[in-house]
Amino acid sequence: MRSENADIKFTADSKLAEANALVMSIEEKSLEVEAKLRAADAKLAEVSRKSSEIQRKLLDVESRESALRRERLSFIAEYAQFTLPLLITVEFDSSLLCLHSSVLLEFKLCTC
């Protein structure tokens, strides 16, 4: 009976040691998983920060593009305002003579 008790105690102690080792292994893996989660959260925060920065830069570029488009249209309108009065056309013998900013250009007219 004592040998049976000793065998049972030995088996119980070895199973308890295995269980404790398993608990320690699980705790170590849990710490590794937590560290990986923290690293993933840090990377996600960095990606989010960069995404926000890129979005802000995109809005800035779109704003500058819009301002340049408005400035270009304004420039074209101003150019037309000052150049159209300088355009003088004279019809002469099936040719159209065009004086534009003191430059003489000749365009042949279609006879349709």
Side-chain angles (χ1 to χ4, degrees), residues 52-69:
S52 295
E53 183 179 327
I54 288 171
Q55 187 67 28
R56 186 174 29 84
K57 286 181 180 180
L58 176 63
L59 290 174
D60 184 43
V61 166
E62 287 174 346
S63 173
R64 283 186 287 167
E65 180 184 23
S66 178
L68 286 171
R69 188 175 289 121

Side-chain angles (χ1 to χ4, degrees), residues 78-105:
E78 187 176 334
Y79 178 78
Q81 179 184 359
F82 287 110
T83 57
L84 285 180
L86 296 176
L87 186 63
I88 303 168
T89 58
V90 178
E91 191 172 330
F92 181 78
D93 261 304
S94 76
S95 295
L96 181 66
L97 299 176
C98 179
L99 292 168
H100 183 264
S101 300
S102 70
V103 176
L104 181 64
L105 300 172

